[in-house]
Amino acid sequence: ITESEKEIIKEKWVDIRFQKQIDWEWVIGIGLAIVLIAGSIVMVILIWNRRLSRDVVKRKLAEDAVKAVNRELTFTKFAFDNAPDAIEWLHSESADMVYVNKEAGKMLGYSREELMKLAVFDFDPVFHQDAWPGFRKELRQQGQMTFESIWQRKDGSRFPVEISARSLNYEGTEYFLAF
């Protein structure tokens, strides 16, 4: 086949047309779809961001409140630990120590850790185990009492003390607070 014959066959059987026109309806439709999708995504992000920023503000306020309470509790513990008077908190039923400050240990000659393992009976011979139920009942009735007692140091020496005590209920458990 010659070149001219190839050209004739090509013109008869192969119809190639090039269009240089743009289908504006199609372009506008696709463009609008893209704008709607992008707009929806932006709206979702904006709404989510607004909620997130509200949550961040709430969390920050809560953290600030917790810091303030922790600071107050830390200062309160510091003040009790360093008070010039002996302070003890104890379980009302067992008379076991829940808290003692430095001055209580200093007065009795015990470390704080040693005192925390003791009950009132171990250093106060007036309030021995047999007398404790009557004392508990009287303190509950009066709510608060000031009285005198005798404490015994670790070395066995004794000294008089004046004690102010109060009965406190905390989360369903009764404690005695003594100064």
Side-chain angles (χ1 to χ4, degrees), residues 24-40:
W24 288 106
E25 286 181 21
W26 182 82
V27 170
I28 291 171
I30 295 296
L32 284 174
I34 290 171
V35 168
L36 286 173
I37 291 170
S40 297

Side-chain angles (χ1 to χ4, degrees), residues 15-62:
D15 186 19
I16 299 175
R17 293 182 199 164
F18 292 100
Q19 282 188 336
K20 292 189 178 183
Q21 295 178 342
I22 297 175
D23 186 356
W24 288 106
E25 286 181 21
W26 182 82
V27 170
I28 291 171
I30 295 296
L32 284 174
I34 290 171
V35 168
L36 286 173
I37 291 170
S40 297
I41 291 170
V42 168
M43 285 300 292
V44 167
I45 290 171
L46 289 174
I47 291 169
W48 178 76
N49 192 27
R50 188 167 184 191
R51 286 183 183 165
L52 182 62
S53 61
R54 276 192 230 143
D55 289 347
V56 167
V57 168
K58 285 179 187 176
R59 184 178 181 131
K60 177 72 172 130
L61 290 173

Side-chain angles (χ1 to χ4, degrees), residues 103-111 114-115 118 120 122-125 150-161:
E103 189 62 25
K106 187 174 156 185
M107 289 173 72
L108 291 164
Y110 290 98
S111 69
E114 290 172 314
L115 269 177
L118 301 179
V120 170
D122 297 317
F123 59 85
D124 192 328
I150 303 290
W151 280 4
Q152 183 173 316
R153 292 183 183 96
K154 186 176 180 179
D155 67 9
S157 61
R158 293 180 176 196
F159 61 98
V161 291

